[in-house]
Amino acid sequence: MFEDELVHIFEEKDKSACLILIDNENVEGIEKKLNEVSVKYQKTSVEDLPSKLCSTNDFVVVLNLLEFALDANPPLLKEKVYRAIEEKGELFDGILVFYGLCGNVLGSLEKDFAYLGIPVRILKDAHGNIVDDCICAAFENRSTYVEAVIGDKRGEGTYFLTPMQAANWREMLVLAKLAPNPEDTEMMKMVFDYSGYKNVGKVDTGLCYEKEFGNIVDEFASLFGFEQILYNGSTKIAEECYHSIKKDITMLNDLE
């Protein structure tokens, strides 16, 4: 769900990083976007990663993308995130997990991996609040997100769409058990109506890697009879968390 923010970081904010993708079934989307904006990267298997890391003295960033379907199963999400860190954590000088609380299963991640002796971070806003989820991370801070969720129209639910959420909304609603298949919009509409949803919140982060974002939100609103509400999103949380851990890693390495 953070493909766009990651591409933005390496296209605009940290062009000098040596970027490595762990080759798996989840990288097709981010590869396409990296290629479109001419960001250089390498791909490697988990098994060959150590040799790749030893072949350069540059600041290396390794992206290990997990399947977005994990969002619908918090216990499994925690298991896979923790396993990924446990299996290869000793190779790195720092780890930034692009997730939020996600059903409150990742809230103790930093404490649980303190034994590694390296910075292990999760996405937080400038006030130190762990973001709730990928929607929360698309706002400038958690309090702005909470205000958006509460909204001006009390009693009316709002379903939020970031560009990546919009690109995968059918699959996400099936994973959330709103319907048995991604084309069953009638069932989805019944569930939305029963749950009191009246609006779709378009969270515009200012990124344009998902070129059909606006059209998809229009279609979504039309299908479910929702009113559109535009929210000014932000990439601030993702950027600041990335730059903060890079700064700390660089400082620690300089002291050695």
Side-chain angles (χ1 to χ4, degrees):
M1 283 300 157
F2 290 99
E3 279 183 8
D4 289 4
E5 287 82 357
L6 288 166
V7 173
H8 173 64
I9 286 170
F10 300 113
E11 182 192 13
E12 299 290 344
K13 304 299 180 180
D14 193 5
K15 298 180 180 180
S16 63
C18 176
L19 182 60
I20 298 176
L21 295 183
I22 298 296
D23 191 8
N24 60 37
E25 64 274 13
N26 308 310
V27 300
E28 181 180 354
I30 197 168
E31 273 197 276
K32 182 172 182 277
K33 292 170 185 175
L34 290 169
N35 291 335
E36 285 175 350
V37 296
S38 301
V39 172
K40 294 181 179 179
Y41 62 92
Q42 304 173 55
K43 280 205 304 184
T44 188
S45 65
V46 172
E47 293 74 22
D48 290 338
L49 181 58
S51 61
K52 286 284 187 181
L53 293 175
C54 293
S55 66
T56 179
N57 292 320
D58 296 327
F59 185 82
V60 179
V61 179
V62 177
L63 297 184
N64 185 11
L65 273 65
L66 303 182
E67 58 269 32
F68 76 80
L70 292 174
D71 287 5
N73 190 334
L76 182 60
L77 168 63
K78 179 178 181 179
E79 178 186 332
K80 288 217 172 185
V81 169
Y82 274 53
R83 187 189 309 150
I85 296 174
E86 289 163 352
E87 289 178 350
K88 294 297 178 183
E90 75 280 356
L91 294 176
F92 303 109
D93 296 320
I95 297 170
L96 175 58
V97 177
F98 274 75
Y99 278 107
L101 291 171
C102 296
N104 210 30
V105 296
L106 297 178
S108 63
L109 181 140
E110 294 184 0
K111 180 184 68 169
D112 292 343
F113 288 103
Y115 72 88
L116 288 177
I118 60 173
V120 178
R121 309 272 173 79
I122 193 168
L123 292 179
K124 297 178 180 177
D125 67 13
H127 304 291
N129 302 305
I130 300 176
V131 301
D132 293 62
D133 49 32
C134 58
I135 301 294
C136 181
F139 286 83
E140 187 166 324
N141 53 60
R142 189 174 183 275
S143 61
T144 304
Y145 167 70
V146 171
E147 289 173 9
V149 170
I150 294 173
D152 296 327
K153 301 178 180 180
R154 306 286 174 146
E156 291 188 6
T158 298
Y159 192 85
F160 293 91
L161 291 177
T162 64
M164 278 297 293
Q165 283 275 349
N168 298 283
W169 73 262
R170 290 182 181 274
E171 292 78 6
M172 293 299 295
L173 291 180
V174 170
L175 289 168
K177 297 182 169 49
L178 265 71
N181 70 71
E183 301 304 321
D184 193 351
T185 53
E186 183 176 345
M187 177 62 74
M188 295 173 186
K189 188 174 190 313
M190 287 176 59
V191 176
F192 275 138
D193 289 344
Y194 180 79
S195 303
Y197 280 88
K198 302 290 185 183
N199 312 297
V200 54
K202 180 182 179 183
V203 186
D204 189 350
T205 59
L207 304 180
C208 55
Y209 304 113
E210 289 291 342
K211 297 175 177 57
E212 293 299 313
F213 179 42
N215 292 335
I216 293 172
V217 176
D218 289 344
E219 176 195 26
F220 189 92
S222 176
L223 279 172
F224 299 112
F226 285 172
E227 179 182 342
Q228 287 193 47
I229 304 176
L230 176 63
Y231 294 93
N232 292 321
S234 172
T235 59
K236 183 176 181 180
I237 288 177
E239 288 178 31
E240 289 189 348
C241 289
Y242 173 82
H243 287 298
S244 175
I245 196 168
K246 179 176 180 179
K247 178 181 177 182
D248 289 347
I249 290 170
T250 303
M251 182 177 66
L252 289 170
N253 286 345
D254 287 345
L255 293 175
E256 293 179 354

